[in-house]
PDB file of all heavy atoms in Angstrom:
ATOM      1  N   ILE M 372      -1.852 -13.367 -19.801  1.00 98.00           N
ATOM      2  CA  ILE M 372      -0.943 -14.256 -20.558  1.00 98.00           C
ATOM      3  C   ILE M 372       0.322 -14.554 -19.745  1.00 98.00           C
ATOM      4  O   ILE M 372       0.827 -15.673 -19.720  1.00 98.00           O
ATOM      5  CB  ILE M 372      -0.568 -13.594 -21.904  1.00 98.00           C
ATOM      6  CG1 ILE M 372      -1.817 -13.489 -22.792  1.00 98.00           C
ATOM      7  CG2 ILE M 372       0.549 -14.375 -22.613  1.00 98.00           C
ATOM      8  CD1 ILE M 372      -1.599 -12.720 -24.076  1.00 98.00           C
ATOM      9  N   ASN M 373       0.856 -13.567 -19.047  1.00 98.00           N
ATOM     10  CA  ASN M 373       2.191 -13.688 -18.442  1.00 98.00           C
ATOM     11  C   ASN M 373       2.191 -13.792 -16.914  1.00 98.00           C
ATOM     12  O   ASN M 373       3.250 -13.808 -16.296  1.00 98.00           O
ATOM     13  CB  ASN M 373       3.036 -12.470 -18.850  1.00 98.00           C
ATOM     14  CG  ASN M 373       3.221 -12.371 -20.356  1.00 98.00           C
ATOM     15  OD1 ASN M 373       4.102 -13.030 -20.925  1.00 98.00           O
ATOM     16  ND2 ASN M 373       2.358 -11.610 -21.033  1.00 98.00           N
ATOM     17  N   GLY M 374       1.013 -13.862 -16.301  1.00 98.00           N
ATOM     18  CA  GLY M 374       0.920 -13.781 -14.841  1.00 98.00           C
ATOM     19  C   GLY M 374       1.733 -14.828 -14.089  1.00 98.00           C
ATOM     20  O   GLY M 374       2.286 -14.556 -13.022  1.00 98.00           O
ATOM     21  N   GLU M 375       1.899 -16.024 -14.706  1.00 98.00           N
ATOM     22  CA  GLU M 375       2.618 -17.076 -13.947  1.00 98.00           C
ATOM     23  C   GLU M 375       4.093 -16.696 -13.730  1.00 98.00           C
ATOM     24  O   GLU M 375       4.761 -17.260 -12.875  1.00 98.00           O
ATOM     25  CB  GLU M 375       2.520 -18.419 -14.657  1.00 98.00           C
ATOM     26  CG  GLU M 375       3.228 -18.547 -15.971  1.00 98.00           C
ATOM     27  CD  GLU M 375       3.153 -19.982 -16.528  1.00 98.00           C
ATOM     28  OE1 GLU M 375       4.016 -20.797 -16.156  1.00 98.00           O
ATOM     29  OE2 GLU M 375       2.233 -20.257 -17.311  1.00 98.00           O
ATOM     30  N   ALA M 376       4.559 -15.697 -14.489  1.00 98.00           N
ATOM     31  CA  ALA M 376       5.948 -15.238 -14.301  1.00 98.00           C
ATOM     32  C   ALA M 376       6.048 -14.202 -13.186  1.00 98.00           C
ATOM     33  O   ALA M 376       7.133 -13.741 -12.842  1.00 98.00           O
ATOM     34  CB  ALA M 376       6.478 -14.649 -15.597  1.00 98.00           C
ATOM     35  N   VAL M 377       4.906 -13.796 -12.624  1.00 98.00           N
ATOM     36  CA  VAL M 377       4.874 -12.786 -11.548  1.00 98.00           C
ATOM     37  C   VAL M 377       4.360 -13.382 -10.238  1.00 98.00           C
ATOM     38  O   VAL M 377       5.014 -13.316  -9.202  1.00 98.00           O
ATOM     39  CB  VAL M 377       3.987 -11.582 -11.968  1.00 98.00           C
ATOM     40  CG1 VAL M 377       3.776 -10.617 -10.800  1.00 98.00           C
ATOM     41  CG2 VAL M 377       4.603 -10.853 -13.156  1.00 98.00           C
ATOM     42  N   TYR M 378       3.184 -14.013 -10.297  1.00 98.00           N
ATOM     43  CA  TYR M 378       2.581 -14.550  -9.069  1.00 98.00           C
ATOM     44  C   TYR M 378       3.364 -15.754  -8.547  1.00 98.00           C
ATOM     45  O   TYR M 378       3.870 -16.569  -9.343  1.00 98.00           O
ATOM     46  CB  TYR M 378       1.135 -15.008  -9.338  1.00 98.00           C
ATOM     47  CG  TYR M 378       0.228 -13.950  -9.933  1.00 98.00           C
ATOM     48  CD1 TYR M 378      -0.439 -14.188 -11.125  1.00 98.00           C
ATOM     49  CD2 TYR M 378       0.052 -12.707  -9.315  1.00 98.00           C
ATOM     50  CE1 TYR M 378      -1.275 -13.226 -11.688  1.00 98.00           C
ATOM     51  CE2 TYR M 378      -0.790 -11.742  -9.867  1.00 98.00           C
ATOM     52  CZ  TYR M 378      -1.443 -12.006 -11.053  1.00 98.00           C
ATOM     53  OH  TYR M 378      -2.264 -11.054 -11.607  1.00 98.00           O
ATOM     54  N   ASN M 379       3.503 -15.862  -7.238  1.00 98.00           N
ATOM     55  CA  ASN M 379       4.105 -17.052  -6.619  1.00 98.00           C
ATOM     56  C   ASN M 379       5.500 -17.347  -7.186  1.00 98.00           C
ATOM     57  O   ASN M 379       5.863 -18.495  -7.441  1.00 98.00           O
ATOM     58  CB  ASN M 379       3.193 -18.268  -6.833  1.00 98.00           C
ATOM     59  CG  ASN M 379       3.517 -19.370  -5.827  1.00 98.00           C
ATOM     60  OD1 ASN M 379       4.180 -19.109  -4.819  1.00 98.00           O
ATOM     61  ND2 ASN M 379       3.101 -20.577  -6.130  1.00 98.00           N
ATOM     62  N   THR M 380       6.251 -16.238  -7.427  1.00 98.00           N
ATOM     63  CA  THR M 380       7.633 -16.408  -7.897  1.00 98.00           C
ATOM     64  C   THR M 380       8.579 -15.873  -6.820  1.00 98.00           C
ATOM     65  O   THR M 380       8.158 -15.243  -5.863  1.00 98.00           O
ATOM     66  CB  THR M 380       7.887 -15.611  -9.191  1.00 98.00           C
ATOM     67  OG1 THR M 380       7.611 -14.224  -8.933  1.00 98.00           O
ATOM     68  CG2 THR M 380       7.024 -16.114 -10.339  1.00 98.00           C
ATOM     69  N   GLU M 381       9.842 -16.165  -7.016  1.00 97.00           N
ATOM     70  CA  GLU M 381      10.854 -15.590  -6.112  1.00 97.00           C
ATOM     71  C   GLU M 381      12.071 -15.171  -6.925  1.00 97.00           C
ATOM     72  O   GLU M 381      12.220 -15.576  -8.096  1.00 97.00           O
ATOM     73  CB  GLU M 381      11.231 -16.600  -5.027  1.00 97.00           C
ATOM     74  CG  GLU M 381      11.705 -17.935  -5.536  1.00 97.00           C
ATOM     75  CD  GLU M 381      11.723 -19.005  -4.436  1.00 97.00           C
ATOM     76  OE1 GLU M 381      11.107 -18.805  -3.353  1.00 97.00           O
ATOM     77  OE2 GLU M 381      12.342 -20.060  -4.662  1.00 97.00           O
ATOM     78  N   SER M 382      12.893 -14.330  -6.332  1.00 97.00           N
ATOM     79  CA  SER M 382      14.043 -13.818  -7.072  1.00 97.00           C
ATOM     80  C   SER M 382      15.092 -14.921  -7.250  1.00 97.00           C
ATOM     81  O   SER M 382      15.245 -15.796  -6.405  1.00 97.00           O
ATOM     82  CB  SER M 382      14.674 -12.640  -6.308  1.00 97.00           C
ATOM     83  OG  SER M 382      15.856 -12.241  -6.953  1.00 97.00           O
ATOM     84  N   VAL M 383      15.817 -14.863  -8.374  1.00 97.00           N
ATOM     85  CA  VAL M 383      16.914 -15.817  -8.569  1.00 97.00           C
ATOM     86  C   VAL M 383      18.200 -15.254  -7.960  1.00 97.00           C
ATOM     87  O   VAL M 383      19.263 -15.854  -8.055  1.00 97.00           O
ATOM     88  CB  VAL M 383      17.150 -16.124 -10.067  1.00 97.00           C
ATOM     89  CG1 VAL M 383      15.966 -16.841 -10.658  1.00 97.00           C
ATOM     90  CG2 VAL M 383      17.490 -14.866 -10.853  1.00 97.00           C
ATOM     91  N   GLY M 384      18.091 -14.058  -7.365  1.00 96.00           N
ATOM     92  CA  GLY M 384      19.282 -13.440  -6.766  1.00 96.00           C
ATOM     93  C   GLY M 384      20.004 -12.550  -7.768  1.00 96.00           C
ATOM     94  O   GLY M 384      19.365 -11.904  -8.598  1.00 96.00           O
ATOM     95  N   GLU M 385      21.334 -12.564  -7.743  1.00 95.00           N
ATOM     96  CA  GLU M 385      22.097 -11.562  -8.512  1.00 95.00           C
ATOM     97  C   GLU M 385      21.851 -11.636 -10.018  1.00 95.00           C
ATOM     98  O   GLU M 385      22.010 -10.660 -10.732  1.00 95.00           O
ATOM     99  CB  GLU M 385      23.595 -11.725  -8.224  1.00 95.00           C
ATOM    100  CG  GLU M 385      24.135 -13.104  -8.552  1.00 95.00           C
ATOM    101  CD  GLU M 385      25.630 -13.235  -8.248  1.00 95.00           C
ATOM    102  OE1 GLU M 385      26.201 -12.314  -7.612  1.00 95.00           O
ATOM    103  OE2 GLU M 385      26.205 -14.258  -8.660  1.00 95.00           O
ATOM    104  N   ASN M 386      21.406 -12.782 -10.540  1.00 96.00           N
ATOM    105  CA  ASN M 386      21.158 -12.891 -11.988  1.00 96.00           C
ATOM    106  C   ASN M 386      19.738 -12.518 -12.369  1.00 96.00           C
ATOM    107  O   ASN M 386      19.199 -12.984 -13.370  1.00 96.00           O
ATOM    108  CB  ASN M 386      21.451 -14.315 -12.463  1.00 96.00           C
ATOM    109  CG  ASN M 386      22.939 -14.623 -12.436  1.00 96.00           C
ATOM    110  OD1 ASN M 386      23.748 -13.832 -12.919  1.00 96.00           O
ATOM    111  ND2 ASN M 386      23.300 -15.724 -11.801  1.00 96.00           N
TER     112      ASN M 386
END
Side-chain angles (χ1 to χ4, degrees):
I372 294 174
N373 299 277
E375 67 175 274
V377 172
Y378 305 124
N379 200 16
T380 58
E381 55 195 15
S382 174
V383 294
E385 58 180 10
N386 290 312

